[in-house]
Amino acid sequence: MTFARRLTSASSVLVVVVAVAGCRGQTSAEPPIVPFRGMHEMPRYDAQEHSGYFEDGRTMRPEIEGTVSREMEIDPQVGTGLDADGSYVLSVPTAVVERSGGLETLLRRGHQRYDIYCAPCHSEVGDGNGMVSQRAASLGVTFAAANLMDPAFQHMPDGRLFLTISNGVRTMPAYRAQIPVQDRWAIVAYVRALQVSRGDAAVAIADTDNDQLPAGADGCPEQPEDRDGFQDLDGCPEADNDADGIDDAADACPLSAGTAGLSGCAGTVAIDPADPLNIRLGANIRFENGRDVLKDESLAILDEIRAFLVAHPEVTRIAIEGHTDDRGDAAVNQALSERRARVVMQWLVQRGVSGERIQSAGFGSARPRGDNTTREGRQANRRVELHVVPPAVEADAAAPAGAAAAGGV
Ligand code: HEC
């Protein structure tokens, strides 16, 4: 070893000794190593520091309204687990299933993520007796992970489960930072399947009859579901949905009990004999309270409307109108009536009625039919009306505005 190298190694030992010894017992506001002093000393703000530059004095700028950050989920239901009205999303949004390429891949992913993130506490079968809970119990620490098989958690809306994973609850930590949005939903879907299959992972994710429903959530794991808009999530095919004795295949109204004479329909939708522009409905279209979600009991009348439109091609266009009673905020009522009319339109279009034949509008509480001071009156006011749009009006509406104005002059 040359003298120079010996000197270098000796001095480096000295540097280390001095550095270690020198730090003992001294306090300093400086970071321990500052390779580039300029970088350390340049003007800058520390987190949470006051700034005179902005009017509100905050250095850390809040998000600018209307902008979307790169990682932000743009589908509000998927991102927040909440519907527009602030209530929990009831089931895993279809966008989530589509993005993962089907329910089965979603469940497989959920199974894997659950075993990584949830099983340590909640156990692989979801009974809450995972390793962490066992260890906590052996140490006498109160830390009992919930039994996810408990009926209370089975009935929890999917959005709430999503938010529990995101934000944690009481002694359970939040997993927002560790688990991406899509994976959190995958876990939710898997927890659901695990609940139905009573903790049997293999049953939870197998799709024996290839109907895109995991065996654990499939009432008939050997018979594929017939996806016809009627009880499509129970996993069992229904040959005669409306139980009117006419098989769905031969039934013009498979969701409405009818008679053989009317090809399985009840004939509750017809042109009003007193007013050829009014379509009479034998029953009200009903929605969940204050929401634009159709009640199951509305299926029959909707199916009758669909069958009416199929049987009457001469009715080239109809207008669907939503109306509310006058309770509550006028703007909210207006928006609700519009959404409800649109939901009816969508229902029909999804079942094969041409969108060209339908228009929808909402009128809030502006056109009452009954007395808003009585219960019956208000009930009569909450309604959806169907009107025939005569071809002449259609042509007028389509005419350029200039032509109409010229006619008026
Ligand atoms: C570190 C342990 C731990 C992990 C990991 C964990 N949990 Fe929990 N979880 C708990 C504890 C503890 C509770 C009970 C909290 C309480 O009631 O104080 C709980 C409660 C729950 C509840 C009931 C919420 C309620 O409203 O009472 C659900 C649902 C749940 N966890 C789901 C999950 C899911 C899904 C995962 C995986 C992403 C997960 N947990 C991961 C410890 C954990």
Side-chain angles (χ1 to χ4, degrees):
M1 206 182 268
T2 65
F3 175 71
R5 281 183 70 180
R6 222 176 275 172
L7 188 66
T8 336
S9 61
S11 56
S12 50
V13 168
L14 193 69
V15 167
V16 170
V17 168
V18 169
V20 170
C23 291
R24 295 272 162 95
Q26 289 186 14
T27 56
S28 165
E30 294 294 319
I33 298 166
V34 185
F36 304 106
R37 283 219 76 86
M39 217 162 136
H40 180 62
E41 283 161 4
M42 71 181 177
R44 70 194 160 98
Y45 284 117
D46 285 332
Q48 313 282 359
E49 205 176 57
H50 176 85
S51 160
Y53 186 73
F54 296 102
E55 207 169 277
D56 61 4
R58 292 162 68 165
T59 13
M60 299 172 76
R61 307 308 306 154
E63 260 170 36
I64 295 165
E65 212 175 312
T67 58
V68 179
S69 63
R70 194 178 262 266
E71 296 79 15
M72 197 170 135
E73 169 59 52
I74 49 168
D75 184 324
Q77 275 195 340
V78 176
T80 63
L82 299 174
D83 277 324
D85 63 0
S87 58
Y88 293 114
V89 169
L90 288 181
S91 53
V92 176
T94 42
V96 169
V97 185
E98 279 163 17
R99 282 181 208 173
S100 85
L103 188 68
E104 200 167 342
T105 27
L106 184 73
L107 283 170
R108 284 190 196 290
R109 176 80 184 170
H111 182 196
Q112 188 200 47
R113 297 291 112 178
Y114 174 91
D115 281 359
I116 295 170
Y117 288 108
C118 316
C121 295
H122 290 280
S123 96
E124 282 175 19
V125 295
D127 63 5
N129 211 12
M131 293 296 281
V132 175
S133 303
Q134 288 178 29
R135 175 81 177 139
S138 78
L139 295 174
V141 179
T142 319
F143 184 81
N147 176 359
L148 301 179
M149 300 295 129
D150 191 294
F153 303 130
Q154 302 212 14
H155 296 130
M156 196 182 241
D158 285 3
R160 174 141 179 222
L161 196 47
F162 173 82
L163 280 161
T164 303
I165 303 174
S166 308
N167 302 331
V169 56
R170 294 176 293 273
T171 42
M172 171 175 150
Y175 287 93
R176 182 185 287 277
Q178 288 97 317
I179 313 177
V181 168
Q182 177 76 11
D183 281 348
R184 272 180 257 156
W185 282 114
I187 293 175
V188 171
Y190 177 68
V191 168
R192 289 293 177 232
L194 202 57
Q195 286 169 336
V196 187
S197 64
R198 297 182 201 291
D200 187 333
V203 174
I205 59 171
D207 182 8
T208 35
D209 54 3
N210 231 333
D211 63 359
Q212 293 287 309
L213 287 163
D218 194 331
C220 302
E222 305 300 332
Q223 283 172 286
E225 172 65 78
D226 60 340
R227 294 188 181 267
D228 60 356
F230 183 76
Q231 297 180 3
D232 284 346
L233 292 176
D234 66 355
C236 297
E238 295 82 15
D240 180 9
N241 295 339
D242 52 12
D244 60 0
I246 302 159
D247 267 3
D248 289 345
D251 194 333
C253 294
L255 299 176
S256 160
T259 59
L262 290 169
S263 313
C265 294
T268 47
V269 173
I271 299 280
D272 189 343
D275 174 5
L277 294 187
N278 187 32
I279 301 174
R280 271 214 315 228
L281 306 181
N284 225 334
I285 302 175
R286 295 194 171 277
F287 295 86
E288 303 280 344
N289 237 337
R291 305 180 62 192
D292 58 7
V293 178
L294 288 161
K295 282 193 173 172
D296 278 352
E297 67 197 57
S298 302
L299 291 184
I301 188 67
L302 287 166
D303 204 31
E304 293 280 340
I305 296 171
R306 187 195 51 73
F308 168 86
L309 289 170
V310 171
H312 292 273
E314 78 283 2
V315 177
T316 51
R317 196 169 171 87
I318 60 161
I320 300 175
E321 295 181 0
H323 300 270
T324 66
D325 60 30
D326 74 345
R327 279 183 308 178
D329 185 75
V332 171
N333 283 339
Q334 175 62 33
L336 181 64
S337 66
E338 288 171 17
R339 288 204 314 271
R340 284 181 169 177
R342 201 158 48 231
V343 161
V344 173
M345 176 163 98
Q346 280 163 354
W347 193 96
L348 293 167
V349 171
Q350 277 161 5
R351 283 155 189 83
V353 179
S354 161
E356 311 239 302
R357 291 178 73 188
I358 314 179
Q359 64 195 45
S360 79
F363 295 92
S365 56
R367 298 185 181 182
R369 193 196 265 170
D371 179 356
N372 267 314
T373 60
T374 69
R375 203 158 174 269
E376 294 72 34
R378 285 193 299 269
Q379 192 169 352
N381 290 338
R382 294 191 296 270
R383 68 201 190 274
V384 171
E385 289 182 7
L386 259 59
H387 297 282
V388 174
V389 181
V393 174
E394 233 181 289
D396 269 3
V409 173

